[in-house]
C-alpha cells in the first residue's frame, strides 16, 4: 500500500481530541502535558504537506509571529505563554489551509467525520462528568462538568463549532428528525457544561441555522415547506423544553448558588461578564497611565498581563492586545474578517456551506469580544480551521 501523507495527517487529527482527553488526566495526576507536542507534530506535517504542494500562505503567518516573538525576546518580555498563544492561532491558520486543499479536492467528508468524532468525544466526557467521575466546570461550587478535559472554557467553543457542522450536515441532508434530535442533545450538553457561552450559544445556533436554511432554499416568493416545518417544530420544542433545561441547570446543577452569591456582591453587568469587565477596566487604566506607543503596537507580553490583572482577562480582544499588541489583533481578526468577505464574493447557492460558515465567523468574533479562549483555543483550533474551509465546498448540480 502506498503511503499517503495527507491520510496520515487526517488520522492524527482524528485522534487529537482523545489525546486532549487523556491530557486532562495526565495534567491533574502527573503534572504532564502531551497534547501540545502532539499538535505541534501535526502542524509540522501539515506545513510540510502544504509546501510540498505549492501552498505557501501559512508561511506569512509563521513569519509574522516569529517577528513578534523576536521583538518580545529583544525586549525581555517573551514567555512560554506568548509562544503557546501564538501557536494556538497558527493552528487555526495552518489547519485551514490544509483542510481547504482537501475540500477543493472533494474530500469534505473529512471535516464531517472530524465533527462527528468531536461529538462522540464530547458525549463521552459529558457522560463521564454527570456520572460523577469527571471534573466540575466550577470546582468551588461543584457546578457543571467538563468531563476529563482540562480546559473547560475551550470546551464551550468546541461544542459550538461541532454543533454548527453537525446540524448543518443534517439540514443539507434534509433530515428534519435528526436535526431536531441533535439540536436537543446539543442544548442539553450546553446545559451540562453550565456556562453562559455553551448554553446560550447552543440555543442561538439551533435557532439561527434553520433560518439560514430557510433563506438559502427559498426562491423569491416560493417558500420551502420543509424549512418552514423545521422552524415551526423547532420553535415548539424550544419553547417547551427550554424552561425545563433552565430549571435543571439552575437547581439540579446548582448554578443558582453561584448566581445568588455573586448577585448580592456585584452589579448586573459584572454578573453577566463574570467579572471580566472589572479586569478589562484595570487593563484600560494601565493602558491610559502606563502604556506606550511601541508596546501598544507589538504587545506587553503575557507576564505583564499577569502583573496588571493577575490572570488573563478572558476577553480575547483585550488579552491578545496586551500580549501581542494592536498590529497582531488587527491581523488575527483580519484573518476571520477576510474569510467572511471571501464568502460573499460568490452569490452561487451551490457553495452550500458558505452562509453557515459566515454565521459561524460572526458568532466567533462576537464571542471573542465577550469571552476568552476563542481565537487562541488549543482544543478547538484544528476544528475551527476545518470549519472555515467548508465554505469552499461547491455542490455540483445543486438544486436548492
Amino acid at each position: 500500500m502506498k503511503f499517503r501523507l495527507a491520510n496520515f495527517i487526517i488520522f492524527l487529527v482524528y485522534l487529537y481530541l482523545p489525546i486532549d482527553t487523556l491530557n486532562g488526566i495526565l495534567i491533574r495526576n502527573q503534572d504532564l502535558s502531551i497534547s501540545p507536542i502532539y499538535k505541534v507534530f501535526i502542524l509540522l506535517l501539515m506545513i510540510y504537506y502544504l509546501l510540498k504542494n505549492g501552498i505557501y500562505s501559512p508561511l506569512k503567518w509563521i513569519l509574522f509571529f516569529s517577528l513578534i516573538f523576536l521583538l518580545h525576546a529583544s525586549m525581555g518580555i517573551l514567555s512560554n505563554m506568548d509562544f503557546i498563544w501564538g501557536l494556538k492561532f497558527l493552528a487555526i491558520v495552518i489547519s485551514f489551509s490544509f483542510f481547504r486543499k482537501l475540500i477543493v479536492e472533494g474530500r469534505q467528508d473529512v471535516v464531517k467525520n472530524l465533527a462527528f468524532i468531536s461529538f462522540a468525544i464530547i458525549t463521552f466526557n459529558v457522560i463521564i462528568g454527570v456520572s460523577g467521575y469527571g471534573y466540575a466546570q466550577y470546582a468551588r461550587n461543584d457546578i457543571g462538568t467538563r468531563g476529563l478535559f482540562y480546559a473547560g472554557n475551550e470546551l464551550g467553543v468546541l461544542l459550538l463549532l461541532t454543533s454548527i457542522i453537525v446540524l448543518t450536515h443534517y439540514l443539507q441532508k434534509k433530515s428534519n428528525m435528526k436535526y431536531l434530535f441533535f439540536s436537543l442533545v446539543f442544548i442539553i450538553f450546553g446545559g451540562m457544561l453550565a456556562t453562559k457561552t455553551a448554553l446560550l450559544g447552543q440555543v442561538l445556533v439551533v435557532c439561527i441555522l434553520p433560518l439560514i436554511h430557510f433563506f438559502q432554499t427559498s426562491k423569491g416568493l416560493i417558500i420551502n415547506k420543509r424549512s418552514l416545518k423545521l422552524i415551526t417544530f423547532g420553535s415548539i420544542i424550544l419553547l417547551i423544553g427550554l424552561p425545563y433545561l433552565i430549571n435543571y441547570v439552575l437547581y439540579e446543577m446548582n448554578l443558582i448558588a453561584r448566581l445568588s452569591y455573586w448577585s448580592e456582591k456585584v452589579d448586573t453587568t459584572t454578573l453577566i461578564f463574570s467579572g471580566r469587565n472589572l479586569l478589562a477596566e484595570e487593563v484600560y487604566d494601565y493602558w491610559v497611565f502606563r502604556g506606550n506607543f511601541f508596546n501598544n503596537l507589538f504587545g506587553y507580553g503575557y507576564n505583564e498581563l499577569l502583573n496588571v490583572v493577575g490572570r488573563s482577562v478572558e476577553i480575547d480582544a483585550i488579552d491578545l492586545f496586551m500580549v501581542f499588541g494592536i498590529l497582531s489583533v488587527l491581523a488575527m481578526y483580519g484573518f476571520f474578517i477576510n474569510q467572511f468577505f471571501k464568502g460573499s464574493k460568490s452569490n452561487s447557492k451551490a457553495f452550500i456551506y458558505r452562509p453557515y460558515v459566515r454565521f459561524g465567523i460572526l458568532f466567533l468574533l462576537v464571542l471573542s469580544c465577550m469571552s476568552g479562549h476563542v481565537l487562541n483555543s488549543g482544543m478547538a483550533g484544528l476544528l475551527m480551521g476545518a470549519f472555515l474551509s467548508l465554505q469552499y465546498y461547491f455542490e455540483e448540480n445543486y438544486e436548492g
Side-chain angles (χ1 to χ4, degrees), residues 189-227:
F189 282 1
M192 296 298 183
L193 300 188
T195 65
K196 296 184 290 291
T197 296
L199 179 56
L200 299 180
Q202 285 307 142
V203 172
L204 182 62
V205 166
V206 168
C207 291
I208 295 296
L209 293 188
L211 293 176
I212 294 175
H213 189 261
F214 175 81
F215 288 109
Q216 186 189 33
T217 55
S218 62
K219 299 177 181 179
L221 298 177
I222 302 176
I223 297 175
N224 187 301
K225 292 183 179 180
R226 174 180 164 269
S227 295

Side-chain angles (χ1 to χ4, degrees), residues 60-134:
K60 64 183 179 182
W61 289 101
I62 296 172
L63 178 61
F64 177 81
F65 276 98
S66 296
L67 292 174
I68 294 294
F69 296 150
L70 287 174
L71 282 173
H72 282 201
S74 66
M75 293 185 288
I77 61 173
L78 182 65
S79 70
N80 289 336
M81 288 304 297
D82 292 36
F83 181 76
I84 291 173
W85 278 22
L87 192 61
K88 286 180 177 180
F89 181 78
L90 286 175
I92 299 173
V93 176
I94 295 168
S95 62
F96 161 72
S97 295
F98 175 76
F99 284 109
R100 178 181 174 180
K101 176 169 172 52
L102 296 182
I103 291 290
V104 172
E105 293 174 350
R107 302 188 65 182
Q108 68 279 358
D109 284 348
V110 172
V111 177
K112 182 196 71 175
N113 292 340
L114 178 59
F116 276 95
I117 290 172
S118 173
F119 173 76
I121 299 302
I122 292 172
T123 302
F124 169 78
N125 278 276
V126 169
I127 292 174
I128 288 290
V130 297
S131 300
Y133 298 102

Side-chain angles (χ1 to χ4, degrees), residues 54-328:
I55 300 173
Y56 304 107
S57 54
L59 289 182
K60 64 183 179 182
W61 289 101
I62 296 172
L63 178 61
F64 177 81
F65 276 98
S66 296
L67 292 174
I68 294 294
F69 296 150
L70 287 174
L71 282 173
H72 282 201
S74 66
M75 293 185 288
I77 61 173
L78 182 65
S79 70
N80 289 336
M81 288 304 297
D82 292 36
F83 181 76
I84 291 173
W85 278 22
L87 192 61
K88 286 180 177 180
F89 181 78
L90 286 175
I92 299 173
V93 176
I94 295 168
S95 62
F96 161 72
S97 295
F98 175 76
F99 284 109
R100 178 181 174 180
K101 176 169 172 52
L102 296 182
I103 291 290
V104 172
E105 293 174 350
R107 302 188 65 182
Q108 68 279 358
D109 284 348
V110 172
V111 177
K112 182 196 71 175
N113 292 340
L114 178 59
F116 276 95
I117 290 172
S118 173
F119 173 76
I121 299 302
I122 292 172
T123 302
F124 169 78
N125 278 276
V126 169
I127 292 174
I128 288 290
V130 297
S131 300
Y133 298 102
Y135 304 96
Q137 189 71 254
Y138 303 105
R140 179 179 297 178
N141 303 107
D142 196 28
I143 298 171
T145 183
R146 63 179 67 182
L148 300 176
F149 284 125
Y150 186 76
N153 291 331
E154 296 182 15
L155 181 55
V157 179
L158 178 70
L159 180 68
L160 290 173
L161 286 170
T162 302
S163 67
I164 294 175
I165 298 173
V166 170
L167 295 178
T168 298
H169 167 72
Y170 285 121
L171 283 175
Q172 295 298 334
K173 292 296 182 182
K174 301 179 181 181
S175 302
N176 283 11
M177 294 307 298
K178 288 183 179 180
Y179 179 87
L180 293 174
F181 170 77
F182 277 92
S183 293
L184 183 61
V185 171
F186 279 119
I187 291 176
I188 291 173
F189 282 1
M192 296 298 183
L193 300 188
T195 65
K196 296 184 290 291
T197 296
L199 179 56
L200 299 180
Q202 285 307 142
V203 172
L204 182 62
V205 166
V206 168
C207 291
I208 295 296
L209 293 188
L211 293 176
I212 294 175
H213 189 261
F214 175 81
F215 288 109
Q216 186 189 33
T217 55
S218 62
K219 299 177 181 179
L221 298 177
I222 302 176
I223 297 175
N224 187 301
K225 292 183 179 180
R226 174 180 164 269
S227 295
L228 189 59
K229 288 181 181 179
L230 185 61
I231 293 174
T232 302
F233 288 131
S235 299
I236 293 173
I237 291 174
L238 200 61
L239 288 173
I240 295 175
L242 193 57
Y244 289 99
L245 181 63
I246 292 174
N247 181 77
Y248 178 84
V249 174
L250 288 177
Y251 296 101
E252 295 299 324
M253 302 204 75
N254 201 33
L255 185 59
I256 190 66
R258 177 179 171 87
L259 294 176
S260 299
Y261 175 81
W262 286 110
S263 63
E264 298 175 357
K265 297 178 178 295
V266 299
D267 56 66
T268 303
T269 302
T270 304
L271 183 65
I272 292 174
F273 281 91
S274 301
R276 296 185 183 97
N277 58 312
L278 301 180
L279 299 178
E281 289 177 8
E282 292 184 39
V283 170
Y284 175 77
D285 291 339
Y286 175 87
W287 174 72
V288 170
F289 296 107
R290 297 179 58 188
N292 63 77
F293 178 76
F294 189 81
N295 286 105
N296 286 341
L297 285 180
F298 301 110
Y300 296 84
Y302 185 81
N303 287 339
E304 188 64 14
L305 176 62
L306 293 183
N307 291 334
V308 176
V309 296
R311 63 180 181 87
S312 66
V313 177
E314 292 190 4
I315 296 177
D316 273 358
I318 296 173
D319 284 335
L320 295 174
F321 163 73
M322 279 297 294
V323 176
F324 296 120
I326 189 64
L327 286 181
S328 295

